[in-house]
Amino acid sequence: MNEWIPVYQATNSLEAHTLKGSLEVSGVTVQLQGEALSGALGELPANAVEVTLLVRAQDLEQARKILESYRRGAGPAWYCRHCGEHNAGSFETCWQCGHESDMTEL
Ligand SMILES: [Zn+2]
């Protein structure tokens, strides 16, 4: 029951890490497959290397929802600057306090 399921194919390492971050703040554990061997996060390779995002079966449904909102162009998840609440990228206002998103990048 520790199976990893591919949910998304990123076109490059930067996109993969952006999505991985969005998923992980929502509690989804992500594994990247196919990434270039350069380990340092500070040196993301500029060349396009396709990276597959893998999640575990129990996180699959949630991961798909998050990725779906990403595909719709909703952008990454964000934190409310007013109350600090975490919001999915598809929300334009904070679900907690109604403060408008200024789309602060993580
Ligand atoms: Zn708020």
Side-chain angles (χ1 to χ4, degrees):
M1 282 301 284
N2 215 7
E3 189 181 356
W4 291 89
I5 299 166
V7 285
Y8 189 80
Q9 183 128 36
T11 53
N12 58 57
S13 189
L14 182 59
E15 184 189 26
H17 280 277
T18 302
L19 288 170
K20 184 173 187 274
S22 297
L23 289 163
E24 283 181 345
V25 292
S26 306
V28 176
T29 309
V30 179
Q31 215 173 57
L32 299 179
Q33 191 180 65
E35 190 173 23
L37 291 174
S38 110
L41 261 178
E43 297 180 40
L44 292 169
N47 59 320
V49 178
E50 290 202 338
V51 183
T52 304
L53 277 77
L54 307 169
V55 300
R56 287 185 300 205
Q58 67 263 32
D59 293 330
L60 186 61
E61 195 182 333
Q62 196 185 359
R64 281 191 174 143
K65 278 183 199 159
I66 295 164
L67 291 167
E68 180 60 32
S69 72
Y70 174 80
R71 284 198 198 95
R72 285 199 306 261
W78 54 281
Y79 288 97
C80 176
R81 202 171 265 188
H82 184 70
C83 72
E85 188 59 54
H86 171 256
N87 291 278
S90 51
F91 291 125
E92 284 176 10
T93 57
C94 175
W95 65 268
Q96 176 87 317
C97 73
H99 198 74
E100 219 168 287
S101 164
D102 49 17
M103 296 310 286
T104 306
E105 298 289 327
L106 291 174

Coordinates of all heavy atoms in Angstrom, one line a residue, residues 1-5 29 55-60:
M1 N 0.8 -1.2 0.0 CA 0.0 0.0 0.0 C 0.9 1.3 0.0 O 0.5 2.3 0.5 CB -0.9 0.0 1.2 CG -2.1 -0.9 1.1 SD -3.2 -0.5 -0.3 CE -4.0 1.0 0.3
N2 N 2.1 1.1 -0.5 CA 2.9 2.3 -0.5 C 3.3 2.6 -2.0 O 4.4 3.0 -2.3 CB 4.2 2.1 0.3 CG 4.6 3.4 1.0 OD1 3.9 4.4 0.9 ND2 5.7 3.4 1.6
E3 N 2.3 2.6 -2.8 CA 2.4 2.7 -4.2 C 2.4 4.2 -4.6 O 1.7 5.0 -4.1 CB 1.2 2.0 -4.9 CG 1.3 1.9 -6.3 CD 0.1 1.2 -6.9 OE1 -0.8 0.8 -6.1 OE2 -0.1 1.0 -8.1
W4 N 3.3 4.5 -5.5 CA 3.4 5.9 -6.0 C 2.7 6.0 -7.4 O 3.0 5.2 -8.3 CB 4.9 6.3 -6.1 CG 5.5 6.5 -4.8 CD1 6.1 5.6 -4.1 CD2 5.5 7.7 -4.0 NE1 6.5 6.1 -2.9 CE2 6.2 7.4 -2.8 CE3 5.0 9.0 -4.1 CZ2 6.4 8.3 -1.8 CZ3 5.2 9.9 -3.1 CH2 5.9 9.6 -1.9
I5 N 1.8 6.9 -7.6 CA 1.1 7.0 -8.8 C 1.4 8.3 -9.5 O 1.3 9.4 -8.9 CB -0.5 7.0 -8.4 CG1 -0.8 5.7 -7.7 CG2 -1.3 7.2 -9.7 CD1 -2.1 5.6 -7.1
T29 N 2.1 14.3 0.0 CA 3.6 14.0 -0.2 C 3.8 13.7 -1.6 O 3.1 13.0 -2.3 CB 3.9 12.8 0.7 OG1 3.4 13.0 2.0 CG2 5.4 12.5 0.7
V55 N 2.4 10.8 -6.5 CA 1.8 10.9 -5.2 C 1.3 9.5 -4.7 O 1.2 8.6 -5.5 CB 0.6 11.9 -5.1 CG1 1.0 13.3 -5.5 CG2 -0.5 11.4 -6.0
R56 N 1.1 9.4 -3.4 CA 0.6 8.1 -2.9 C -0.9 8.0 -3.1 O -1.6 9.0 -3.2 CB 1.0 7.9 -1.5 CG 2.5 7.6 -1.4 CD 2.9 7.3 0.0 NE 2.5 8.5 0.9 CZ 3.2 8.7 2.0 NH1 4.1 7.9 2.4 NH2 2.8 9.7 2.8
A57 N -1.4 6.7 -3.2 CA -2.8 6.5 -3.5 C -3.7 7.3 -2.6 O -4.7 7.8 -3.1 CB -3.1 5.0 -3.4
Q58 N -3.4 7.4 -1.3 CA -4.4 8.1 -0.4 C -4.4 9.6 -0.7 O -5.3 10.2 -0.2 CB -4.0 7.8 1.0 CG -2.7 8.3 1.5 CD -1.6 7.3 1.5 OE1 -1.6 6.4 0.6 NE2 -0.7 7.4 2.4
D59 N -3.4 10.1 -1.4 CA -3.4 11.5 -1.7 C -3.9 11.9 -3.1 O -3.9 13.0 -3.5 CB -2.0 12.1 -1.5 CG -1.5 12.0 -0.1 OD1 -2.3 12.1 0.8 OD2 -0.3 11.9 0.2
L60 N -4.2 10.8 -3.8 CA -4.4 11.0 -5.3 C -5.5 12.0 -5.6 O -5.4 12.9 -6.4 CB -4.7 9.6 -5.9 CG -4.8 9.6 -7.4 CD1 -3.6 10.1 -8.1 CD2 -5.2 8.2 -7.9

